[in-house]
Every structure is written in structure tokens, then in C-alpha cells.
Amino acid sequence: MKQLFPEKQSLQLPDSDLIYFPNFLKFDVANTYFNTFKTTTPWQQDNIKVFGKVYPQPRLTALYGNNGKPYTYSNITMQPHPFTKALLAIKQKIEKETTAHFTSCLMNYYRDGNDSNGWHADNEKELGENPIIASITLGQERFFHLKHRKNKAMTYKLLLAHGSLLLMQGETQHHWLHQIPKTKKPIGERINLTFRVII
């Protein structure tokens, strides 16, 4: 049976190294993973400070890892849970497409269109000089926005499909910001797995 989408696409954006795999996980496999992670993950909701005011983070999160190292972003420090069998299986599948050996996975649970992730770069020191981030989407497809740090007119929008993988590597985090914006459309739940190397 012919695939509806190509196996992988290199996004030709300046100052970046971005590869998108729309069909990384088969549909039924992705469904199973979504249901597993939704029901078995110890989700948490931390508070974040924005312009001096404290708000509940607009999504739920969980951190997993195999080296015991915490992850700190936006003044939030998370301690890792041990990798589950399901996360290890996905991690090993991703590693066949890269030269990386991921140590950690930050999971995000977007419950509806009100949940979001604002403009940021994954450039924390513990991720190294040129971080590699492998992002898996399960559930509701959401738009992933990118904008260049210096050239504000340079933007890009990608619809992340159920079962897809987006690899961000090289100097991408130095030159680009990204976000998952809110939407007023009635949409379903999305779980996002972001595999990283924490050094």
C-alpha cells in the first residue's frame, strides 16, 4: 500500500537542521502509546512566573531519564522518573535515525486548545552546545510555529501529525524560537514526547 506522505522531509530553513517524519509510528501503534501514556504517566502541573506574576503552566508535564539528572527550564526543576518500557522502545526507534543516545524525555500533555507552550528555544546549558531534540506527537495534531531570532519576518508553520517525529538539531536552537500556540477551535488531547541529551 502506497504511503500518503513521504517517509521524511528536510525542512529547508536557514540556520537550522530540521527533519520531519510524518509517519514515524503506525497509526494503531501511536494510538496504543497515547492511551498508555495518558493513563500511566504521573503528570504534574508546575507554576511559572511571567512578568512577575505566577500562573499554572498551561499544560501537564513529566520527566523521565536514565542518568538521574534533573532538568531545569523557566525556573522549574524537574526530577526524572525511570524510563518505562514504552518510552525505551520509542527511544531506541528514534536512535536508529540519529547518532544521539538520549538520556531523558520531557513529556507534555496538552488537554485542549487552551494548553500551549510559548515562544522559547531549547538552549539550556545542560543540553549542550548544539542540542538534539526528538519530538514525538501523539493524539491531536497541532501547529508548530517557528520564527528566526534575528530576521523576524522569517517564520514557518508545520502541522505535527499523530505518530510523527520532528528532529531539531545542529544550530537550530541558536537561531530559531518555537511554540505550540493556543487555539479557540474545539480540539482533542495531545501528548508530546521530547527526547533530549542532558549532560
Side-chain angles (χ1 to χ4, degrees), residues 69-85:
K69 292 189 176 182
Y71 181 52
T72 300
Y73 68 98
S74 300
N75 295 316
I76 297 169
T77 298
M78 301 185 69
Q79 301 294 332
H81 305 283
F83 274 128
T84 64
K85 288 183 179 180

mmCIF file of all heavy atoms in Angstrom, residues 69-85:
data_model
loop_
_atom_site.group_PDB
_atom_site.id
_atom_site.type_symbol
_atom_site.label_atom_id
_atom_site.label_comp_id
_atom_site.label_asym_id
_atom_site.label_seq_id
_atom_site.Cartn_x
_atom_site.Cartn_y
_atom_site.Cartn_z
ATOM 1 N N LYS A 69 19.650 12.738 36.187
ATOM 2 C CA LYS A 69 19.895 14.181 36.179
ATOM 3 C C LYS A 69 18.589 14.957 36.026
ATOM 4 O O LYS A 69 17.760 14.632 35.175
ATOM 5 C CB LYS A 69 20.864 14.545 35.053
ATOM 6 C CG LYS A 69 22.267 14.017 35.294
ATOM 7 C CD LYS A 69 23.262 14.560 34.284
ATOM 8 C CE LYS A 69 24.675 14.091 34.616
ATOM 9 N NZ LYS A 69 25.679 14.641 33.672
ATOM 10 N N PRO A 70 18.413 16.004 36.844
ATOM 11 C CA PRO A 70 17.209 16.838 36.733
ATOM 12 C C PRO A 70 17.282 17.722 35.493
ATOM 13 O O PRO A 70 18.327 17.830 34.848
ATOM 14 C CB PRO A 70 17.243 17.670 38.014
ATOM 15 C CG PRO A 70 18.707 17.791 38.337
ATOM 16 C CD PRO A 70 19.323 16.482 37.897
ATOM 17 N N TYR A 71 16.178 18.354 35.185
ATOM 18 C CA TYR A 71 16.127 19.290 34.062
ATOM 19 C C TYR A 71 15.469 20.571 34.542
ATOM 20 O O TYR A 71 14.409 20.532 35.182
ATOM 21 C CB TYR A 71 15.341 18.678 32.903
ATOM 22 C CG TYR A 71 15.255 19.560 31.680
ATOM 23 C CD1 TYR A 71 16.405 20.117 31.111
ATOM 24 C CD2 TYR A 71 14.035 19.841 31.076
ATOM 25 C CE1 TYR A 71 16.336 20.917 29.987
ATOM 26 C CE2 TYR A 71 13.949 20.639 29.937
ATOM 27 C CZ TYR A 71 15.114 21.168 29.408
ATOM 28 O OH TYR A 71 15.034 21.958 28.292
ATOM 29 N N THR A 72 16.111 21.707 34.268
ATOM 30 C CA THR A 72 15.612 22.997 34.720
ATOM 31 C C THR A 72 15.308 23.895 33.532
ATOM 32 O O THR A 72 16.155 24.069 32.651
ATOM 33 C CB THR A 72 16.630 23.689 35.645
ATOM 34 O OG1 THR A 72 16.882 22.859 36.787
ATOM 35 C CG2 THR A 72 16.110 25.034 36.121
ATOM 36 N N TYR A 73 14.100 24.434 33.505
ATOM 37 C CA TYR A 73 13.720 25.425 32.494
ATOM 38 C C TYR A 73 12.670 26.339 33.104
ATOM 39 O O TYR A 73 11.874 25.922 33.949
ATOM 40 C CB TYR A 73 13.170 24.739 31.230
ATOM 41 C CG TYR A 73 11.842 24.046 31.429
ATOM 42 C CD1 TYR A 73 10.642 24.667 31.077
ATOM 43 C CD2 TYR A 73 11.765 22.785 32.010
ATOM 44 C CE1 TYR A 73 9.424 24.044 31.276
ATOM 45 C CE2 TYR A 73 10.545 22.150 32.208
ATOM 46 C CZ TYR A 73 9.380 22.791 31.838
ATOM 47 O OH TYR A 73 8.174 22.182 32.053
ATOM 48 N N SER A 74 12.672 27.609 32.726
ATOM 49 C CA SER A 74 11.695 28.594 33.212
ATOM 50 C C SER A 74 11.577 28.573 34.737
ATOM 51 O O SER A 74 10.484 28.683 35.294
ATOM 52 C CB SER A 74 10.316 28.347 32.587
ATOM 53 O OG SER A 74 10.382 28.438 31.188
ATOM 54 N N ASN A 75 12.724 28.414 35.418
ATOM 55 C CA ASN A 75 12.786 28.365 36.883
ATOM 56 C C ASN A 75 12.037 27.174 37.480
ATOM 57 O O ASN A 75 11.664 27.182 38.651
ATOM 58 C CB ASN A 75 12.253 29.674 37.494
ATOM 59 C CG ASN A 75 13.122 30.860 37.144
ATOM 60 O OD1 ASN A 75 14.351 30.773 37.211
ATOM 61 N ND2 ASN A 75 12.507 31.965 36.750
ATOM 62 N N ILE A 76 11.797 26.148 36.671
ATOM 63 C CA ILE A 76 11.210 24.900 37.139
ATOM 64 C C ILE A 76 12.282 23.818 37.073
ATOM 65 O O ILE A 76 12.936 23.665 36.046
ATOM 66 C CB ILE A 76 10.016 24.483 36.263
ATOM 67 C CG1 ILE A 76 8.892 25.513 36.343
ATOM 68 C CG2 ILE A 76 9.501 23.104 36.657
ATOM 69 C CD1 ILE A 76 7.794 25.304 35.315
ATOM 70 N N THR A 77 12.489 23.096 38.164
ATOM 71 C CA THR A 77 13.430 21.975 38.169
ATOM 72 C C THR A 77 12.654 20.684 38.354
ATOM 73 O O THR A 77 11.936 20.517 39.336
ATOM 74 C CB THR A 77 14.474 22.125 39.290
ATOM 75 O OG1 THR A 77 15.238 23.321 39.067
ATOM 76 C CG2 THR A 77 15.412 20.931 39.306
ATOM 77 N N MET A 78 12.805 19.782 37.384
ATOM 78 C CA MET A 78 12.089 18.517 37.412
ATOM 79 C C MET A 78 13.049 17.369 37.677
ATOM 80 O O MET A 78 14.165 17.353 37.141
ATOM 81 C CB MET A 78 11.365 18.295 36.079
ATOM 82 C CG MET A 78 10.370 19.380 35.721
ATOM 83 S SD MET A 78 9.460 18.974 34.206
ATOM 84 C CE MET A 78 8.442 17.588 34.783
ATOM 85 N N GLN A 79 12.617 16.431 38.486
ATOM 86 C CA GLN A 79 13.402 15.241 38.779
ATOM 87 C C GLN A 79 12.875 14.078 37.919
ATOM 88 O O GLN A 79 11.661 13.902 37.790
ATOM 89 C CB GLN A 79 13.318 14.878 40.261
ATOM 90 C CG GLN A 79 13.815 15.976 41.195
ATOM 91 C CD GLN A 79 15.299 16.240 41.058
ATOM 92 O OE1 GLN A 79 16.065 15.348 40.688
ATOM 93 N NE2 GLN A 79 15.716 17.469 41.355
ATOM 94 N N PRO A 80 13.772 13.259 37.353
ATOM 95 C CA PRO A 80 13.316 12.232 36.415
ATOM 96 C C PRO A 80 12.791 10.975 37.095
ATOM 97 O O PRO A 80 13.291 10.544 38.129
ATOM 98 C CB PRO A 80 14.584 11.910 35.628
ATOM 99 C CG PRO A 80 15.702 12.162 36.604
ATOM 100 C CD PRO A 80 15.253 13.334 37.433
ATOM 101 N N HIS A 81 11.771 10.392 36.465
ATOM 102 C CA HIS A 81 11.336 9.037 36.765
ATOM 103 C C HIS A 81 12.144 8.080 35.887
ATOM 104 O O HIS A 81 12.630 8.477 34.821
ATOM 105 C CB HIS A 81 9.847 8.864 36.451
ATOM 106 C CG HIS A 81 8.950 9.847 37.134
ATOM 107 N ND1 HIS A 81 8.601 9.743 38.462
ATOM 108 C CD2 HIS A 81 8.337 10.962 36.668
ATOM 109 C CE1 HIS A 81 7.804 10.737 38.787
ATOM 110 N NE2 HIS A 81 7.627 11.501 37.721
ATOM 111 N N PRO A 82 12.302 6.820 36.266
ATOM 112 C CA PRO A 82 12.990 5.859 35.399
ATOM 113 C C PRO A 82 12.194 5.627 34.117
ATOM 114 O O PRO A 82 10.960 5.622 34.126
ATOM 115 C CB PRO A 82 13.048 4.581 36.253
ATOM 116 C CG PRO A 82 12.807 5.027 37.656
ATOM 117 C CD PRO A 82 11.932 6.232 37.581
ATOM 118 N N PHE A 83 12.900 5.458 33.004
ATOM 119 C CA PHE A 83 12.247 5.170 31.733
ATOM 120 C C PHE A 83 11.331 3.949 31.853
ATOM 121 O O PHE A 83 11.683 2.951 32.468
ATOM 122 C CB PHE A 83 13.282 4.882 30.647
ATOM 123 C CG PHE A 83 13.806 6.116 29.941
ATOM 124 C CD1 PHE A 83 15.170 6.341 29.821
ATOM 125 C CD2 PHE A 83 12.936 7.021 29.365
ATOM 126 C CE1 PHE A 83 15.652 7.461 29.158
ATOM 127 C CE2 PHE A 83 13.407 8.145 28.702
ATOM 128 C CZ PHE A 83 14.760 8.368 28.596
ATOM 129 N N THR A 84 10.179 4.034 31.219
ATOM 130 C CA THR A 84 9.278 2.882 31.127
ATOM 131 C C THR A 84 9.647 2.059 29.882
ATOM 132 O O THR A 84 10.391 2.521 29.017
ATOM 133 C CB THR A 84 7.823 3.351 30.997
ATOM 134 O OG1 THR A 84 7.673 4.074 29.770
ATOM 135 C CG2 THR A 84 7.432 4.257 32.161
ATOM 136 N N LYS A 85 9.089 0.861 29.782
ATOM 137 C CA LYS A 85 9.348 0.021 28.618
ATOM 138 C C LYS A 85 8.862 0.695 27.335
ATOM 139 O O LYS A 85 9.514 0.624 26.288
ATOM 140 C CB LYS A 85 8.669 -1.339 28.778
ATOM 141 C CG LYS A 85 9.322 -2.252 29.805
ATOM 142 C CD LYS A 85 8.631 -3.609 29.857
ATOM 143 C CE LYS A 85 9.308 -4.541 30.865
ATOM 144 N NZ LYS A 85 8.624 -5.862 30.923
#
